Amino acid sequence: MDSQFTAGPSSNDRAGRDATVGDVPGPRSPASGADHAPLPFDVIIAGCGPTGAMLAAELRLHDVRVLVLEKETEPKSFVRIVGLHIRSLELMAMRGLLDRVLPHGRRRPAGGFFAAIPKPAPAGLDSAYAYLLGIPQPVVERLLEEHATALGAQVRRGCAVAGLEQDDEGVTVELADGEQLRSRYLVGCDGGRSTVRKLLGVGFPGEPSRNDTLMGEMEVGVPQEEIAAKVAELRETHQRFWLRPFGGGVYSVVVPALGVGDRAKPPTLEDFKQALRAIAGTDFGVHSPRWMSRFGDATRLAERYRVGRVLLAGDAAHIHPPIGGQGLNLGVQDAFNLGWKLAAQIRGWAPETLLDTYQAERRPVAEDVLDNTRAQMELLSAEPGAQAVRRLLSELMDFDEVNRHLIEKITAIGIRYDFGEGPDLLGSRLPDIDVKQGNLYSLLHRGRGLLLDRTERLTVGGWSDRVDHLADPAAALDVPCVLLRPDGHVAWIGDDQQDLDDHLSRWFGRPAD
């Protein structure tokens, strides 16, 4: 009986052939014939932010040869605090990263995110990681880059993409210094001003920024009590204004900009002083800034996430206001969705339409994030109508179902991909339930599929090089068996072997010979 957690030989032991991709035929793998010289890389990633680094790591779990190009010569020096939401923390746990990340952050309750309306998180959120982790963005980027390079990804800094051309065999990437590189695929993770997206000619429709906000960390020259009183007074109507103490006299300062300036240039300390005086009547004696930046509320979504052998992820595919703290999380989750699918394409076992599901699944998620950030920005307005709607929504959020819906939306644990008719669990992510091996997510560290089998009767058969099997009648499930994709979403529910085989074929291709 198949009663233990079993894993077949890695798919890395099998040389595969790329299937046809979009309108561009797939290249042969280096092992598929002597008439084509092997390409030096399988995937080039433009951008080594959190999205690019996470994608590189996901690809390396499957021995995909990855080169990450980062135009900046050094990592970011300023320390901007970002929040990792519940779903991103779950993804970190799935790859064994969470224990590395947690010591660098500070846990906060998972509530008060939607338009900064101060409501506590509903009780019983269905996750073992039901909190927000505030963490410096440079630390997140460093940890993910270290994770990727430890798995074998190459990172080259000071390399800006200047041109690209794709053909039947792969993509030629031209760097700013004229050097040319070849790979089978290119993924643009190069931010909202993505060079890759522009070179592809992919439209980026949406709305330009109407409201700019200044954000920074700096010291102040007045007592904390005076600051707290003024903030409490103004926060009733000015939701885009705050000064929050970090300790040692340093404050996080957020204030509406007086006007939209040149976003290519960083704001000055004088810009902050003028904006603070306009809102609060005082500049609080701000001085000695650690870092200063500006952000707008532009909202844009790429028309396509993929053109042949070139794909987009993270801010290259979508930008939106930072309200709710969803941006970094959305990009990391893009990478988690794309990584195993692109690896499957390169390793030769991907079903014909698997790579197309990346856009089909992730673009609607981005559309929803753009919509909820649009709504939140309206609720931050000091106009009487917006304030009236804000008060009404605050009342509605006292109902558990409303508050829960908004929290699950912001934290991305409410996402359900459309896998066809079936129970609500189908297409949803499975929480980190207890299994006989300890906890479920510890079984997903290698980025493979998993059959969780309470019947002890099923098998993954010829898919054992891609899918692990855990027979556990005591697993904390309300259904007989589930098939999990490498990203933790439920791809099948049932107890029939033939039905399982059909779904294994749908997501993991033909069985090995």
Side-chain angles (χ1 to χ4, degrees), residues 90-129:
E90 290 182 342
L91 301 185
M92 299 292 175
M94 285 184 203
R95 296 300 184 260
L97 286 169
L98 190 56
D99 287 343
R100 299 187 213 174
V101 172
L102 285 177
H104 300 278
R106 178 180 297 179
R107 300 190 194 192
R108 287 180 47 198
F113 301 141
F114 195 86
I117 295 175
K119 298 292 181 180
L125 283 174
D126 190 17
S127 176
Y129 313 96

Short mmCIF file of all heavy atoms in Angstrom, two decimals, residues 90-129:
data_model
loop_
_atom_site.label_atom_id
_atom_site.label_comp_id
_atom_site.label_asym_id
_atom_site.label_seq_id
_atom_site.Cartn_x
_atom_site.Cartn_y
_atom_site.Cartn_z
N GLU A 90 1.94 32.56 3.17
CA GLU A 90 1.70 31.15 2.87
C GLU A 90 2.65 30.66 1.78
O GLU A 90 3.17 29.54 1.86
CB GLU A 90 0.24 30.96 2.43
CG GLU A 90 -0.76 31.14 3.56
CD GLU A 90 -2.19 30.89 3.12
OE1 GLU A 90 -2.47 30.91 1.90
OE2 GLU A 90 -3.03 30.66 4.01
N LEU A 91 2.86 31.47 0.76
CA LEU A 91 3.77 31.06 -0.31
C LEU A 91 5.19 30.90 0.22
O LEU A 91 5.91 29.97 -0.18
CB LEU A 91 3.75 32.09 -1.45
CG LEU A 91 2.39 32.36 -2.11
CD1 LEU A 91 2.56 33.29 -3.30
CD2 LEU A 91 1.73 31.06 -2.56
N MET A 92 5.60 31.81 1.09
CA MET A 92 6.93 31.67 1.69
C MET A 92 7.02 30.36 2.48
O MET A 92 8.03 29.66 2.43
CB MET A 92 7.21 32.85 2.62
CG MET A 92 7.21 34.21 1.96
SD MET A 92 8.57 34.46 0.81
CE MET A 92 8.14 36.08 0.14
N ALA A 93 5.96 30.02 3.21
CA ALA A 93 5.96 28.77 3.96
C ALA A 93 6.03 27.57 3.03
O ALA A 93 6.68 26.56 3.33
CB ALA A 93 4.71 28.69 4.84
N MET A 94 5.36 27.65 1.87
CA MET A 94 5.38 26.53 0.92
C MET A 94 6.78 26.23 0.40
O MET A 94 7.06 25.11 -0.02
CB MET A 94 4.48 26.85 -0.27
CG MET A 94 3.01 26.74 0.00
SD MET A 94 2.08 27.04 -1.52
CE MET A 94 0.52 27.53 -0.82
N ARG A 95 7.65 27.23 0.38
CA ARG A 95 9.00 27.01 -0.15
C ARG A 95 10.06 27.01 0.95
O ARG A 95 11.25 27.10 0.67
CB ARG A 95 9.32 28.08 -1.19
CG ARG A 95 8.43 28.01 -2.42
CD ARG A 95 8.53 26.68 -3.16
NE ARG A 95 7.73 26.69 -4.37
CZ ARG A 95 6.52 26.15 -4.49
NH1 ARG A 95 5.97 25.54 -3.45
NH2 ARG A 95 5.87 26.21 -5.63
N GLY A 96 9.62 26.94 2.21
CA GLY A 96 10.58 26.87 3.30
C GLY A 96 11.30 28.17 3.57
O GLY A 96 12.38 28.17 4.19
N LEU A 97 10.71 29.29 3.16
CA LEU A 97 11.35 30.59 3.31
C LEU A 97 10.87 31.37 4.53
O LEU A 97 11.53 32.32 4.94
CB LEU A 97 11.09 31.45 2.06
CG LEU A 97 11.85 31.08 0.80
CD1 LEU A 97 11.27 31.84 -0.40
CD2 LEU A 97 13.32 31.41 0.95
N LEU A 98 9.76 31.00 5.09
CA LEU A 98 9.14 31.85 6.11
C LEU A 98 10.02 32.00 7.34
O LEU A 98 10.11 33.10 7.91
CB LEU A 98 7.77 31.29 6.50
CG LEU A 98 6.91 32.21 7.36
CD1 LEU A 98 6.71 33.56 6.68
CD2 LEU A 98 5.57 31.56 7.66
N ASP A 99 10.69 30.94 7.74
CA ASP A 99 11.54 31.04 8.93
C ASP A 99 12.71 32.00 8.71
O ASP A 99 13.23 32.57 9.67
CB ASP A 99 12.08 29.66 9.32
CG ASP A 99 11.00 28.77 9.94
OD1 ASP A 99 9.96 29.31 10.35
OD2 ASP A 99 11.19 27.54 10.00
N ARG A 100 13.12 32.18 7.46
CA ARG A 100 14.18 33.15 7.16
C ARG A 100 13.65 34.57 7.19
O ARG A 100 14.37 35.51 7.53
CB ARG A 100 14.79 32.88 5.78
CG ARG A 100 15.43 31.53 5.60
CD ARG A 100 16.14 31.47 4.27
NE ARG A 100 16.09 30.15 3.68
CZ ARG A 100 16.53 29.84 2.48
NH1 ARG A 100 17.06 30.80 1.72
NH2 ARG A 100 16.46 28.61 2.01
N VAL A 101 12.39 34.73 6.80
CA VAL A 101 11.81 36.07 6.66
C VAL A 101 11.34 36.63 7.99
O VAL A 101 11.53 37.82 8.29
CB VAL A 101 10.64 36.02 5.64
CG1 VAL A 101 9.90 37.35 5.60
CG2 VAL A 101 11.17 35.66 4.24
N LEU A 102 10.72 35.80 8.81
CA LEU A 102 10.06 36.28 10.03
C LEU A 102 10.97 37.08 10.97
O LEU A 102 10.53 38.10 11.53
CB LEU A 102 9.44 35.10 10.79
CG LEU A 102 8.16 34.51 10.21
CD1 LEU A 102 7.70 33.31 11.03
CD2 LEU A 102 7.05 35.56 10.15
N PRO A 103 12.23 36.67 11.20
CA PRO A 103 13.05 37.43 12.15
C PRO A 103 13.31 38.88 11.72
O PRO A 103 13.70 39.70 12.57
CB PRO A 103 14.36 36.63 12.20
CG PRO A 103 13.99 35.26 11.76
CD PRO A 103 12.93 35.46 10.73
N HIS A 104 13.10 39.19 10.46
CA HIS A 104 13.40 40.53 9.95
C HIS A 104 12.19 41.45 9.96
O HIS A 104 12.31 42.62 9.57
CB HIS A 104 13.95 40.44 8.53
CG HIS A 104 15.21 39.65 8.41
ND1 HIS A 104 16.45 40.18 8.70
CD2 HIS A 104 15.42 38.35 8.05
CE1 HIS A 104 17.37 39.24 8.51
NE2 HIS A 104 16.78 38.13 8.12
N GLY A 105 11.04 40.94 10.36
CA GLY A 105 9.82 41.74 10.28
C GLY A 105 9.12 41.87 11.62
O GLY A 105 9.53 41.31 12.64
N ARG A 106 8.04 42.62 11.58
CA ARG A 106 7.22 42.82 12.77
C ARG A 106 5.79 42.44 12.44
O ARG A 106 5.22 42.94 11.47
CB ARG A 106 7.28 44.28 13.22
CG ARG A 106 6.42 44.60 14.44
CD ARG A 106 6.53 46.06 14.84
NE ARG A 106 7.88 46.40 15.25
CZ ARG A 106 8.26 47.62 15.63
NH1 ARG A 106 7.37 48.62 15.63
NH2 ARG A 106 9.50 47.86 16.00
N ARG A 107 5.22 41.57 13.25
CA ARG A 107 3.84 41.13 13.01
C ARG A 107 2.85 42.19 13.45
O ARG A 107 3.01 42.81 14.49
CB ARG A 107 3.57 39.82 13.74
CG ARG A 107 4.46 38.67 13.33
CD ARG A 107 3.98 37.37 13.93
NE ARG A 107 4.97 36.32 13.83
CZ ARG A 107 4.73 35.04 14.05
NH1 ARG A 107 3.51 34.67 14.42
NH2 ARG A 107 5.68 34.14 13.94
N ARG A 108 1.82 42.35 12.61
CA ARG A 108 0.72 43.25 12.94
C ARG A 108 -0.59 42.51 12.71
O ARG A 108 -0.65 41.59 11.89
CB ARG A 108 0.76 44.50 12.04
CG ARG A 108 1.85 45.48 12.38
CD ARG A 108 1.78 46.66 11.42
NE ARG A 108 0.41 47.17 11.28
CZ ARG A 108 0.00 47.94 10.28
NH1 ARG A 108 0.84 48.26 9.31
NH2 ARG A 108 -1.25 48.36 10.23
N PRO A 109 -1.64 42.92 13.39
CA PRO A 109 -2.94 42.27 13.16
C PRO A 109 -3.39 42.43 11.70
O PRO A 109 -3.10 43.44 11.06
CB PRO A 109 -3.88 43.02 14.11
CG PRO A 109 -3.00 43.60 15.15
CD PRO A 109 -1.72 43.93 14.46
N ALA A 110 -4.10 41.44 11.22
CA ALA A 110 -4.56 41.44 9.82
C ALA A 110 -5.88 42.19 9.70
O ALA A 110 -6.90 41.64 9.29
CB ALA A 110 -4.71 40.00 9.32
N GLY A 111 -5.86 43.46 10.05
CA GLY A 111 -7.08 44.25 9.95
C GLY A 111 -6.76 45.70 9.68
O GLY A 111 -5.61 46.14 9.80
N GLY A 112 -7.77 46.46 9.31
CA GLY A 112 -7.60 47.89 9.07
C GLY A 112 -6.93 48.21 7.76
O GLY A 112 -6.39 49.31 7.59
N PHE A 113 -6.96 47.29 6.79
CA PHE A 113 -6.28 47.51 5.52
C PHE A 113 -7.13 48.29 4.52
O PHE A 113 -6.61 49.12 3.79
CB PHE A 113 -5.90 46.16 4.87
CG PHE A 113 -5.01 45.29 5.71
CD1 PHE A 113 -5.19 43.93 5.75
CD2 PHE A 113 -3.99 45.85 6.47
CE1 PHE A 113 -4.37 43.12 6.51
CE2 PHE A 113 -3.17 45.05 7.25
CZ PHE A 113 -3.36 43.68 7.27
N PHE A 114 -8.41 47.99 4.45
CA PHE A 114 -9.23 48.54 3.38
C PHE A 114 -9.48 50.03 3.63
O PHE A 114 -10.20 50.42 4.55
CB PHE A 114 -10.56 47.79 3.25
CG PHE A 114 -11.26 48.08 1.95
CD1 PHE A 114 -10.95 47.35 0.82
CD2 PHE A 114 -12.19 49.10 1.85
CE1 PHE A 114 -11.57 47.62 -0.39
CE2 PHE A 114 -12.81 49.38 0.65
CZ PHE A 114 -12.49 48.64 -0.48
N ALA A 115 -8.88 50.86 2.77
CA ALA A 115 -9.01 52.32 2.85
C ALA A 115 -8.64 52.85 4.22
O ALA A 115 -9.10 53.91 4.63
CB ALA A 115 -10.42 52.76 2.46
N ALA A 116 -7.79 52.09 4.95
CA ALA A 116 -7.35 52.48 6.29
C ALA A 116 -8.52 52.68 7.25
O ALA A 116 -8.43 53.44 8.21
CB ALA A 116 -6.48 53.74 6.24
N ILE A 117 -9.63 51.98 7.01
CA ILE A 117 -10.76 52.02 7.94
C ILE A 117 -10.42 51.11 9.12
O ILE A 117 -10.17 49.92 8.93
CB ILE A 117 -12.06 51.57 7.25
CG1 ILE A 117 -12.42 52.57 6.14
CG2 ILE A 117 -13.19 51.44 8.25
CD1 ILE A 117 -13.62 52.15 5.30
N PRO A 118 -10.36 51.65 10.32
CA PRO A 118 -9.81 50.90 11.46
C PRO A 118 -10.76 49.85 12.02
O PRO A 118 -11.39 50.04 13.06
CB PRO A 118 -9.52 52.01 12.49
CG PRO A 118 -10.53 53.07 12.18
CD PRO A 118 -10.73 53.04 10.69
N LYS A 119 -10.87 48.74 11.31
CA LYS A 119 -11.68 47.63 11.79
C LYS A 119 -10.77 46.43 12.05
O LYS A 119 -9.87 46.14 11.26
CB LYS A 119 -12.74 47.24 10.74
CG LYS A 119 -13.73 48.35 10.42
CD LYS A 119 -14.64 48.65 11.60
CE LYS A 119 -15.65 49.73 11.23
NZ LYS A 119 -16.54 50.06 12.36
N PRO A 120 -10.99 45.72 13.14
CA PRO A 120 -10.16 44.54 13.41
C PRO A 120 -10.46 43.42 12.43
O PRO A 120 -11.53 43.38 11.81
CB PRO A 120 -10.57 44.14 14.84
CG PRO A 120 -11.97 44.66 14.97
CD PRO A 120 -12.01 45.93 14.17
N ALA A 121 -9.51 42.53 12.28
CA ALA A 121 -9.73 41.38 11.42
C ALA A 121 -10.84 40.51 11.98
O ALA A 121 -10.98 40.39 13.21
CB ALA A 121 -8.45 40.56 11.30
N PRO A 122 -11.66 39.91 11.13
CA PRO A 122 -12.68 38.98 11.63
C PRO A 122 -12.04 37.78 12.29
O PRO A 122 -10.93 37.38 11.95
CB PRO A 122 -13.45 38.61 10.36
CG PRO A 122 -12.50 38.83 9.24
CD PRO A 122 -11.64 39.99 9.65
N ALA A 123 -12.75 37.20 13.20
CA ALA A 123 -12.22 36.03 13.91
C ALA A 123 -12.19 34.83 12.98
O ALA A 123 -13.00 34.69 12.06
CB ALA A 123 -13.10 35.73 15.13
N GLY A 124 -11.19 33.97 13.20
CA GLY A 124 -11.16 32.69 12.50
C GLY A 124 -10.79 32.75 11.04
O GLY A 124 -11.30 31.96 10.25
N LEU A 125 -9.92 33.69 10.64
CA LEU A 125 -9.43 33.67 9.26
C LEU A 125 -8.77 32.32 8.99
O LEU A 125 -7.97 31.84 9.80
CB LEU A 125 -8.43 34.80 9.02
CG LEU A 125 -9.03 36.20 8.84
CD1 LEU A 125 -7.91 37.25 8.75
CD2 LEU A 125 -9.91 36.27 7.59
N ASP A 126 -9.08 31.73 7.84
CA ASP A 126 -8.68 30.35 7.55
C ASP A 126 -7.24 30.28 7.07
O ASP A 126 -6.96 29.97 5.92
CB ASP A 126 -9.63 29.76 6.51
CG ASP A 126 -9.44 28.26 6.36
OD1 ASP A 126 -8.82 27.65 7.25
OD2 ASP A 126 -9.91 27.71 5.34
N SER A 127 -6.32 30.58 7.97
CA SER A 127 -4.90 30.50 7.63
C SER A 127 -4.09 30.38 8.91
O SER A 127 -4.45 30.95 9.95
CB SER A 127 -4.45 31.73 6.85
OG SER A 127 -3.05 31.69 6.60
N ALA A 128 -3.00 29.65 8.83
CA ALA A 128 -2.07 29.57 9.96
C ALA A 128 -1.21 30.81 10.05
O ALA A 128 -0.43 30.95 11.01
CB ALA A 128 -1.18 28.33 9.80
N TYR A 129 -1.34 31.72 9.08
CA TYR A 129 -0.48 32.90 9.02
C TYR A 129 -1.34 34.16 8.91
O TYR A 129 -1.12 35.01 8.05
CB TYR A 129 0.47 32.78 7.82
CG TYR A 129 1.13 31.42 7.75
CD1 TYR A 129 0.61 30.41 6.94
CD2 TYR A 129 2.22 31.12 8.55
CE1 TYR A 129 1.18 29.15 6.89
CE2 TYR A 129 2.80 29.86 8.54
CZ TYR A 129 2.28 28.88 7.71
OH TYR A 129 2.85 27.63 7.69
#
